[in-house]
């Protein structure tokens, strides 16, 4: 009888051990993030800009942080201090080590980030891009401010309108040469000019300014000296139009050279006032930051956005047929008359 009891006790102990092993194996073979969420931890969403410390990405940060508070998620807004892809890679490596749930990045150079974003995805982190496209084979959502093609064409048409002529020499000033969004807008603008304004001549290749106003200023001074018949400049990246306008203002060329570009209204106001910048064409970057976090939260909760969906604090969004590309809305023209209506 004691033997039988001993056998039963041993069997029971083995059963308990087996159950424990299965239970333990289940938690490690499943997603660690699922286990975290079962413990009522908040989602952790990381938003990585091209760089920190410039007005555009400061405004985006405001939207990101507001979304974190209102949507009850933990947000991290971090990026390099310069528009440098290698620095962005280090930032993302650090976020991977923090085991965040979502990484949304605005790449300085999409190809350079592919390996580290693949690493993030392989570790179960949801990968998105915002502001600027990353490798589309890796991202689950690509959040765009506007329709890139329509935006670039709009900038070109605005330049011609402010030049007051469909003939003459123009130049293009940009931020970084590898920035995918800037290049897409420039290509669309050039296409608009080639198709509809054959009298317009581009005097030189696009001029890079490394996302720095001072560099844009100096290169514009060189530009107007080299091309005395210049009639217009399109400037892409938010610091570039300010540097261009600063040079035009200094040289008193407001009535000779038209300038349009992708700048914030508050920064643009002094230049819009005296005509050294004719129009700043952008969108509301705080809304873009808010939208990015809202969509990241939805993705983490396994909900995909829908075309025409209304996002609180943002408005109605457009989702393309690929189910991945999200357009926030049309651009806004900031002028001397309306720039004071905005606080970013």
């Amino acid at each position: 009888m004691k033997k039988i009891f001993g056998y039963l006790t041993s069997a029971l102990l083995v059963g308990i051990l087996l159950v424990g092993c299965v239970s333990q194996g289940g938690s490690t073979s499943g997603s660690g993030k699922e286990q975290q969420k079962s413990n009522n931890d908040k989602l952790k969403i990381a938003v990585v800009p091209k760089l920190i410390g410039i007005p555009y990405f400061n405004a985006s940060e405001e939207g990101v942080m507001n979304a974190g508070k209102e949507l009850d998620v933990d947000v991290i807004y971090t990026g390099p201090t310069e528009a440098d892809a290698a620095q962005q890679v280090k930032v993302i490596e650090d976020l991977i080590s923090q085991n965040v749930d979502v990484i949304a990045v605005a790449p300085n150079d999409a190809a350079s980030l592919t390996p580290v974003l693949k690493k993030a995805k392989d570790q179960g982190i949801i990968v998105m891009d915002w502001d600027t496209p990353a490798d589309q084979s890796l991202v689950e959502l690509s959040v765009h401010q506007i329709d890139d093609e329509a935006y670039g064409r709009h900038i070109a048409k605005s330049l011609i309108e402010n030049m007051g002529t469909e003939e003459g020499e123009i130049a293009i000033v940009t931020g970084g040469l590898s920035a995918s969004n800037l290049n897409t807008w420039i290509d669309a603008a050039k296409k608009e000019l080639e198709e509809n304004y054959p009298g317009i001549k581009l005097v030189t290749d696009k001029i890079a300014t490394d996302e720095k106003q001072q560099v844009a200023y100096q290169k514009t001074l060189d530009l107007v000296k080299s091309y005395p018949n210049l009639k217009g400049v399109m400037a892409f990246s938010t610091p570039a139009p300010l540097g261009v306008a600063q040079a035009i203002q200094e040289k008193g060329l407001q009535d000779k050279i038209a300038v349009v570009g992708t700048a914030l209204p508050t920064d643009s106001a002094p230049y819009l006032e005296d005509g050294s910048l004719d129009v700043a064409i952008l969108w509301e970057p705080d809304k873009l930051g808010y939208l990015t976090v809202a969509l990241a939260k939805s993705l983490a909760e396994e909900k995909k956005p829908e075309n025409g969906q209304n996002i609180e604090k943002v408005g109605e969004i457009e989702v393309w047929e690929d189910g991945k590309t999200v357009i926030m809305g049309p651009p806004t023209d900031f002028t001397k008359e309306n720039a004071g209506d905005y606080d970013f």
Side-chain angles (χ1 to χ4, degrees), residues 156-168:
K157 287 185 280 190
S158 179
L159 179 68
I160 300 304
E161 179 183 341
N162 284 281
M163 284 170 55
T165 177
E166 295 185 6
E167 295 183 353

Side-chain angles (χ1 to χ4, degrees), residues 42-43 45 61-76 289-290 293-294 297:
K42 290 183 180 179
L43 287 167
I45 296 169
E61 180 179 12
E62 185 178 335
V64 166
M65 303 313 291
N66 285 340
K69 292 175 185 175
E70 294 180 12
L71 302 177
D72 195 30
V73 295
D74 285 338
V75 291
I76 302 170
Y290 194 102
V293 173
K297 180 185 179 186

Side-chain angles (χ1 to χ4, degrees), residues 64-115:
V64 166
M65 303 313 291
N66 285 340
K69 292 175 185 175
E70 294 180 12
L71 302 177
D72 195 30
V73 295
D74 285 338
V75 291
I76 302 170
Y77 190 87
T78 182
T81 54
E82 297 181 0
D84 180 76
Q87 287 189 33
Q88 269 191 320
V89 169
K90 292 179 181 178
V91 168
I92 294 170
E93 288 278 9
D94 182 58
L95 292 170
I96 292 171
S97 71
Q98 294 182 48
N99 199 33
V100 298
D101 295 289
V102 186
I103 294 175
V105 62
N108 285 300
D109 181 352
S112 298
L113 296 191
T114 293

Side-chain angles (χ1 to χ4, degrees), residues 293-342:
V293 173
L295 294 180
K297 180 185 179 186
S298 292
L299 269 186
E301 295 171 348
E302 301 184 350
K303 294 181 285 190
K304 297 277 277 186
E306 298 178 359
N307 187 43
Q309 181 178 347
N310 188 71
I311 305 294
E312 191 173 355
K313 299 293 179 70
V314 175
E316 191 173 293
I317 61 171
E318 177 184 350
V319 180
W320 287 7
E321 289 184 5
D322 62 7
K324 177 182 290 186
T325 305
V326 178
I327 306 297
M328 184 172 74
T332 301
D333 289 347
F334 303 114
T335 64
K336 175 182 177 180
E337 289 72 27
N338 71 1
D341 298 337
Y342 300 88

Side-chain angles (χ1 to χ4, degrees), residues 19-322:
V19 170
C21 289
V22 170
S23 174
Q24 193 173 22
S27 67
T28 54
S29 63
S31 166
K33 299 188 190 326
E34 289 176 7
Q35 182 66 25
Q36 285 180 334
K37 297 306 159 276
S38 69
N39 293 335
N40 296 318
D41 286 350
K42 290 183 180 179
L43 287 167
K44 188 179 291 186
I45 296 169
V47 180
V48 182
K50 290 180 181 177
L51 72 165
I52 57 174
I54 65 172
Y56 175 83
F57 287 117
N58 291 343
S60 301
E61 180 179 12
E62 185 178 335
V64 166
M65 303 313 291
N66 285 340
K69 292 175 185 175
E70 294 180 12
L71 302 177
D72 195 30
V73 295
D74 285 338
V75 291
I76 302 170
Y77 190 87
T78 182
T81 54
E82 297 181 0
D84 180 76
Q87 287 189 33
Q88 269 191 320
V89 169
K90 292 179 181 178
V91 168
I92 294 170
E93 288 278 9
D94 182 58
L95 292 170
I96 292 171
S97 71
Q98 294 182 48
N99 199 33
V100 298
D101 295 289
V102 186
I103 294 175
V105 62
N108 285 300
D109 181 352
S112 298
L113 296 191
T114 293
V116 74
L117 292 181
K118 184 177 186 303
K119 178 180 177 180
K121 187 170 183 177
D122 289 345
Q123 293 192 23
I125 297 171
I126 296 169
V127 175
M128 296 170 50
D129 66 48
W130 70 289
D131 182 79
T132 307
D135 185 332
Q136 294 300 285
S137 69
L138 296 175
V139 301
E140 293 194 35
L141 279 184
S142 186
V143 186
H144 296 237
Q145 312 88 330
I146 31 71
D147 181 319
D148 291 329
E149 175 85 10
Y151 185 53
R153 287 180 177 269
H154 177 71
I155 291 169
K157 287 185 280 190
S158 179
L159 179 68
I160 300 304
E161 179 183 341
N162 284 281
M163 284 170 55
T165 177
E166 295 185 6
E167 295 183 353
E169 297 180 350
I170 70 162
I172 295 174
V173 175
T174 187
L177 292 178
S178 299
S180 176
N181 62 335
L182 304 183
N183 290 334
T184 300
W185 301 338
I186 290 169
D187 289 345
K190 290 167 71 174
K191 190 185 299 183
E192 176 67 25
L193 295 175
E194 289 164 4
E195 292 176 358
N196 299 306
Y197 304 99
I200 296 297
K201 178 187 176 183
L202 189 60
V203 296
T204 183
D205 290 337
K206 60 191 175 187
I207 300 168
T209 61
D210 302 322
E211 301 282 352
K212 294 177 181 176
Q213 180 176 337
Q214 184 63 26
V215 176
Y217 160 74
Q218 187 58 57
K219 291 198 173 184
T220 303
L221 290 178
D222 297 339
L223 185 65
V224 297
K225 183 177 180 180
S226 300
Y227 301 97
N229 296 320
L230 197 69
K231 290 187 177 178
V233 179
M234 288 186 289
F236 297 83
S237 94
T238 52
L242 307 179
V244 173
Q246 183 183 351
I248 297 301
Q249 186 181 69
E250 181 177 300
K251 291 297 182 180
L253 295 172
Q254 292 94 325
D255 295 330
K256 184 180 177 183
I257 300 176
V259 179
V260 302
T262 58
L264 296 165
T266 301
D267 297 328
S268 302
Y271 304 112
L272 291 169
E273 188 65 32
D274 76 349
S276 48
L277 178 62
D278 291 276
V279 58
I281 306 169
L282 206 65
W283 50 87
E284 298 183 48
D286 56 338
K287 286 187 177 181
L288 181 63
Y290 194 102
L291 175 63
T292 299
V293 173
L295 294 180
K297 180 185 179 186
S298 292
L299 269 186
E301 295 171 348
E302 301 184 350
K303 294 181 285 190
K304 297 277 277 186
E306 298 178 359
N307 187 43
Q309 181 178 347
N310 188 71
I311 305 294
E312 191 173 355
K313 299 293 179 70
V314 175
E316 191 173 293
I317 61 171
E318 177 184 350
V319 180
W320 287 7
E321 289 184 5
D322 62 7

